[in-house]
Amino acid sequence: MLIIGVLVIIAAIVMFVIGLNWLGIILAIVGAAIILFSGFKVVRPIERGVIERFGKYLRTKDSGLTWIIPSFEKMYRVNITEQMVDVPPQMVITKDKLNAQVDAVVYYKIKDVKASIYNVDDHRKQLTSLARTTLRAVIGNMTLTDANEKRSDINEKVEVVLDKETNSYGVEVLRVEIQKIEPPPDVQDSMNKVVKAEQEKIAARDTATATETKADGEKRAEIKKAEGVKMGLILSAEGKAEAIKKVAEADADRIKIVNESAQKYFVGNAQVLRKLEATEESLKHNAKFLVDTNKVQTIVTDASGVTPVIQKKTTKT
């Protein structure tokens, strides 16, 4: 745009030289307008503009419309959004002398626009190189197993180192992510076998635990069942004992009542009452007695409580 404006101005001068003043004036106005408008610059919200005048830093412009002096000032746009650097895969020797291919990505953003331009030649290139070196240093102090199990620790350590080292770049390291740590194929096969054996061991232990738990449950069930049977027998025996006790108490009460009645109404005739009860009980159960015929009268009269009258023999005079 600036070049076009300059060319138009030159054409206007030529018009003045050859005598076409009116055309020269028009071209001069058009050229000046083109040069003027070429100084307007737009900075997007995701950018910041660094303005230089004759190669010297002048100011930093936020988002919006700004104007610079054409040919005298120049503006550089810097992206301030979160950006990603893909660290190329590299072979790293671990603490246990094994080779592992490591791949990672680094997320960062520009926090100081001026420093990112003037303090480092190419902050992305510098950040990538520094990330590769830091990864080798951190993983080199770990075994391959630890490196695979503690990736979050590696991310944190690398992030701290990069954030500290790139502070002068005007760069803020947001996070580091390890994408993969791959050992050689033969080592990977060995590790897979170890993992498989460990899983089988865990499965066998779980099966044994389940079997033991089942057996323990069955044992407790049988014990509970036996305890229930025992308690049932105890309760049954206690019930029978209680019933016998109640019957005995009822008989005792009956005997007590009978004795009290006998004492009250049959004073002096307790023996006679007992004989009547025995006779009643025998007849109730259809008891049979073998009795001497010569003593029938005595037994019956004794049982009935009648004292036989002894007849005196009369003698003839």
Side-chain angles (χ1 to χ4, degrees), residues 254 276-289:
R254 183 180 62 80
L276 288 174
E277 290 177 349
T279 303
E280 181 183 2
E281 188 70 20
S282 299
L283 294 175
K284 184 187 298 184
H285 293 86
N286 296 323
K288 296 180 181 181
F289 299 92

Side-chain angles (χ1 to χ4, degrees), residues 116-160:
S116 68
I117 293 180
Y118 298 112
N119 291 357
V120 64
D121 180 35
D122 185 344
H123 64 268
R124 290 182 65 88
K125 185 177 180 181
Q126 293 284 92
L127 184 59
T128 302
S129 179
L130 185 59
R132 287 170 59 88
T133 305
T134 306
L135 279 171
R136 286 197 299 269
V138 173
I139 297 177
N141 291 324
M142 304 174 68
T143 63
L144 182 60
T145 302
D146 289 340
N148 277 288
E149 293 178 352
K150 300 178 180 179
R151 295 193 178 193
S152 59
D153 293 343
I154 298 175
N155 295 338
E156 292 178 2
K157 291 179 180 180
V158 175
E159 178 183 340
V160 170

Side-chain angles (χ1 to χ4, degrees), residues 42 65 129 214 307:
V42 176
L65 179 66
S129 179
K214 181 180 179 181
T307 303

Side-chain angles (χ1 to χ4, degrees), residues 86-92 100-105 135 139 144 147-148 151 154-155 177-183 188:
D86 188 3
V87 182
Q90 60 177 328
M91 295 301 296
V92 178
Q101 188 177 36
V102 181
D103 187 10
V105 292
L135 279 171
I139 297 177
L144 182 60
N148 277 288
R151 295 193 178 193
I154 298 175
N155 295 338
E177 298 290 343
I178 301 294
Q179 290 185 318
K180 65 179 179 179
I181 301 178
E182 293 183 353
Q188 184 67 47

Side-chain angles (χ1 to χ4, degrees), residues 46 78-86 106-110 123-124 127 172 174-175:
I46 64 172
V78 179
N79 191 330
I80 61 171
T81 60
E82 180 178 321
Q83 302 177 62
M84 183 191 73
V85 171
D86 188 3
V106 179
Y107 296 90
Y108 75 97
K109 67 185 302 183
I110 302 297
H123 64 268
R124 290 182 65 88
L127 184 59
E172 179 184 3
L174 301 177
R175 60 188 180 278

Side-chain angles (χ1 to χ4, degrees), residues 9 11-13 15-16 20-32:
I9 293 295
I13 295 173
M15 292 297 107
F16 281 116
L20 298 176
N21 294 334
W22 61 273
L23 183 58
I25 293 173
I26 295 175
L27 290 177
I29 294 173
V30 172

Side-chain angles (χ1 to χ4, degrees), residues 33 60 62 69 72 106 110 123 125 158 178 183-184 195 213 221 242 264 267-268 276 283 305:
T60 299
D62 292 336
I69 301 174
F72 296 97
V106 179
I110 302 297
H123 64 268
K125 185 177 180 181
V158 175
I178 301 294
V195 173
T213 302
E242 187 68 22
K264 183 176 181 181
V267 179
L276 288 174
L283 294 175

